[in-house]
Structure formats: C-alpha cells, structure tokens
Amino acid sequence: MEVPLLDLRAQYATIKDEILAAVSEVLESQRCIGGPKVAELEEKVAALSNCKYGVGASSGTDAILNSLMSLEIGAGDEVITTPFTFFATVGCIARAGAKPIFVDIDPRTFNINPKLIESFVTEKTKAIMPVHLFGQVADMDPIMEVADKFDLAVVEDAAQSISSTYKGRKAGSIGTVGCFSFFPSKNLGGIGDGGMTITNDELLYERLLIMRDHGSKPKYYNNYIGGNFRLDSIQAAALLVKLPHLEEWSEARRRNAAYYDRGFAGTVVQTPYIRPDCTTIYNQYCIRVPRRDEVLRHLRANNIGCEVYYPVPVHLQKCFVSLGYSKGDLPEAEKAASEVLALPIYPELTDEMKDHVVSTILSFLR
Ligand SMILES: *Cc1c(COP(=O)(O)O)cnc(C)c1O
C-alpha cells in the first residue's frame, strides 16, 4: 500500500469545480493583482483570527519580511527567535539586516522556551519572533511578559498554525503582528505562493500596506524602501473557496492524530505533546523515534511518505557560520533535529493507511 506524506489531489477533487469557477471569474475580470478577492480574504482571515486587520502577501516569507521592515527592524538590531524552524523565519531577520539571536526550545512542544528568553535581551533587542511549530502555538503569556517589560515587538510566525488556539486566543493575534503562509502544503494552502499578515495596530497596518507596494504612498512617492509583497487575486480567489473547509480539514487531521496516538501508545514512539491550554491544527504530526534515519529509510522503501522537519537547526546552517554558533550550543533543538519524523496526517487518510503506517514502524522497531 502506498501512503504519500501529502496528497493534495485528494482534496482538490472535492472542490475542483468551485476552484475552476473562482479562477475563471478572476480571469474574466482581469483584475489580477489586489482587488475585491484579496480584500475579502484579508477581512475573512483577520476575522477568523479575531484580529482587526489583514494584509495579503506574496508568500509567508514576504509576510514576515514585510512585518520586520514595517516595524523598522534592521541593521544594528537583534531579534530573538528559535533555531528549530523553517529557514524563512531566520532568513527574514537576516535579510532585514538584523541579527538573529537563538534561544533553545522546550523539548515537549518544540517551540521556543520562554524561560530562557529574558537572559538574551540586550540594548539592541527589538523583537521576539516565536514560531508556532507544527500547528501548536508557542507559550505566549511569558513571551508577552518579557516583551512588555523591555518594550519589544512580538512577530508571530504562524505559518503552520492558522486558526489554532492558545488559552482560547487565535494564533497570530496575540503579539504585535502575526504571519501566515498559504504555501500549498499548509492547512490553508493556495494554488501557488501566498501569505498574510494580521495585526490589531492601525498604524502598523497602514505601514504594512505601504511597504507591500515598494514603500510608496501616494503612488510613485517614496518615503520608505519597501518591496513587492502583493498577493495575487487568483490565489485569493482559490483561498476563499478553501477557507470554509479549513475547520473540517483541521478536525480531520486531529482525528488522524488521535488515531496514531492510540496506535503508538505504550511503545518507544513518542507522539506529539499538545498542551492542555492549546488546540493544534497538526500541519505536521511529528513523532520522536529511536534510529530515526533507519526508520525513515524503511518507511520510504515501503512507499510511506515521511519527512524530517528540520534536519539542521538554523544556528548550524552554513550561511550563518558568521553568527558564531557551534554544535552543542542549543542542545534541545539539536536533539530534536536528530529524532523527529513527520508522518502522513492529511485529512483524507483512511484508517487502513494509518494502520499500515503504525504497523510498518512498530514491526521495524521490534
Ligand atoms: C512555510 C513557512 C514559512 C514560509 O512560508 P512561505 O509561504 O513558504 O514563504 C515561514 N515559516 C514557517 C515556520 C513555515 O512553515
């Protein structure tokens, strides 16, 4: 039996006619950048997240970059973040001209350990950038406490966590600004690249709009240097078709996760820990497993998709050697990088497929 890590065709089959109609509507209008579809999506994603303003972006990466640029974070500034994340989080800090400062993770949740943050705050610190990894929100209360104490911005990288909750509050709505990605493999994925920034801060909202369009306002008059961070109308139209399904798709992922949890109970496989005050959307279902690389090869040899998110913690990436980190500096992140394995969790998985994944892993480890 073949079990892919993700099968977007299964989902597409259920909404194909609506997507084609929505794309066709945009094409007929030839309103390909901005316009009513983008505005509607911005409103709906902001509302879903209990936030006032949404600003569409060309990708999750650009949503993060625009946030940092709009907060005027750049050369000479430091941004505290996690080393256990997708590269874009840290890439954006560096591209904005600031210096990433890494704080180790909580091994249970894989998210930044808030207890460690304060000791890394300096005169140069401008922001904290927590990442809500795999669908679960980082422990935001103590993060916000440090931010308030030192007057720091908080940029939530919620690329993997749209609509998940922390103490009843939505991902991306707790800090100064929240960033989403609509990369096709995210729970709310477009038919290409896309992203969004949400905020409750009206001045920041206005700045995000200006910076998204090269920093120009009025048109062709630049007080700032921004970029082209705009969202395509076709993406917005497709995302508007998918948005009403987001909750049911995330619920199906939670059901799949509960099924796996039962299958692995009492074995050497460590299943994801979800805090009792959080709801996750399981963008990934990551287990910790002994002999991880052997298990990975065995699964792939048996036509079961799996992936390591992420094999190299960002502080050890070659491009960041100049930051001066070495192996052993952030032990929990490094340990996680050597033990995690993401299993297929997409909504359309059948019980037979999940049984097959569980038994293939357990029979190999036995
Ligand atoms: C996907 C992702 C991004 C980047 O989003 P893109 O839309 O691919 O640019 C940033 N951070 C995290 C944690 C992500 O998972």
Side-chain angles (χ1 to χ4, degrees):
M1 183 191 294
E2 189 175 348
V3 188
L5 181 61
L6 177 64
D7 181 5
L8 289 169
R9 284 169 310 179
Q11 185 185 84
Y12 179 59
T14 67
I15 49 171
K16 181 175 174 176
D17 294 342
E18 287 170 274
I19 295 273
L20 289 176
V23 169
S24 172
E25 191 189 329
V26 172
L27 289 177
E28 292 300 331
S29 78
Q30 279 301 305
R31 189 70 205 265
C32 293
I33 303 280
K37 294 289 184 190
V38 171
E40 187 184 343
L41 184 73
E42 289 173 338
E43 240 167 66
K44 287 187 168 162
V45 169
L48 165 84
S49 305
N50 298 323
C51 239
K52 277 195 202 146
Y53 309 107
V55 179
S58 30
S59 66
T61 305
D62 286 343
I64 296 169
L65 186 60
N66 191 5
S67 298
L68 293 170
M69 290 172 76
S70 294
L71 288 163
E72 301 186 342
I73 289 168
D77 298 334
E78 293 178 353
V79 177
I80 293 175
T81 192
T82 165
F84 196 55
T85 180
F86 178 58
F87 180 78
T89 314
V90 188
C92 288
I93 296 172
R95 286 172 67 200
K99 184 176 177 189
I101 303 293
F102 296 109
V103 166
D104 211 353
I105 57 168
D106 173 342
R108 290 187 310 170
T109 61
F110 302 110
N111 284 325
I112 193 167
N113 184 342
K115 290 192 208 97
L116 305 177
I117 293 177
E118 185 164 345
S119 64
F120 288 89
V121 174
T122 71
E123 292 286 287
K124 293 177 177 172
T125 311
K126 286 285 153 57
I128 306 172
M129 187 139 70
V131 178
H132 307 323
L133 207 66
F134 304 150
Q136 174 164 229
V137 179
D139 189 5
M140 289 300 289
D141 277 352
I143 293 172
M144 296 310 293
E145 261 172 48
V146 179
D148 289 343
K149 184 169 169 187
F150 297 99
D151 198 20
L152 309 174
V154 174
V155 179
E156 292 177 64
D157 181 343
Q160 300 180 0
S161 299
I162 189 167
S163 85
S164 59
T165 65
Y166 170 85
K167 302 186 182 179
R169 301 166 73 188
K170 291 289 179 86
S173 72
I174 304 168
T176 316
V177 61
C179 305
F180 298 126
S181 163
F182 303 132
F183 186 78
S185 68
K186 307 287 157 106
N187 282 40
L188 180 63
I191 51 175
D193 279 310
M196 189 166 298
T197 314
I198 58 168
T199 185
N200 283 313
D201 180 329
E202 190 180 350
L203 288 177
L204 180 60
Y205 167 63
E206 283 163 12
R207 188 68 169 269
L208 287 162
L209 290 175
I210 294 169
M211 295 300 276
R212 169 169 78 173
D213 236 328
H214 300 287
S216 110
K217 192 186 178 182
K219 210 170 183 183
Y220 308 124
Y221 291 80
N222 286 68
N223 289 329
Y224 315 110
I225 304 170
N228 173 356
F229 302 137
R230 295 181 299 253
L231 179 65
D232 289 352
S233 314
I234 282 180
Q235 294 308 328
L239 289 160
L240 281 168
V241 170
K242 290 190 173 194
L243 187 60
H245 297 286
L246 175 62
E247 191 47 43
E248 104 210 17
W249 288 335
S250 295
E251 187 54 39
R253 284 169 182 260
R254 285 190 286 267
R255 276 199 304 275
N256 289 341
Y259 195 96
Y260 278 139
D261 287 348
R262 288 192 296 273
F264 290 123
T267 73
V268 291
V269 173
Q270 258 185 62
T271 54
Y273 169 78
I274 306 304
R275 293 166 52 103
D277 52 7
C278 284
T279 56
T280 181
I281 61 164
Y282 283 111
N283 188 238
Q284 286 88 354
Y285 180 91
C286 287
I287 56 172
R288 284 194 198 239
V289 71
R291 296 152 63 199
R292 194 269 316 273
D293 293 337
E294 286 172 61
V295 174
L296 176 142
R297 278 195 293 275
H298 180 71
L299 287 176
R300 288 190 179 161
N302 285 278
N303 293 317
I304 295 174
C306 56
E307 190 56 86
V308 175
Y309 305 113
Y310 295 92
V312 183
V314 185
H315 67 289
L316 299 179
Q317 292 286 1
K318 281 218 178 92
C319 63
F320 286 132
V321 275
S322 62
L323 293 174
Y325 289 89
S326 45
K327 240 191 188 135
D329 286 347
L330 297 156
E332 292 298 350
E334 293 166 31
K335 187 159 184 276
S338 70
E339 292 181 353
V340 290
L341 187 62
L343 304 180
I345 191 70
Y346 64 91
E348 296 81 9
L349 281 178
T350 64
D351 288 353
E352 291 70 36
M353 290 164 122
K354 283 170 283 186
D355 288 337
H356 184 56
V357 173
V358 171
S359 63
T360 306
I361 293 173
L362 292 182
S363 64
F364 180 75
L365 287 172
R366 217 165 266 143

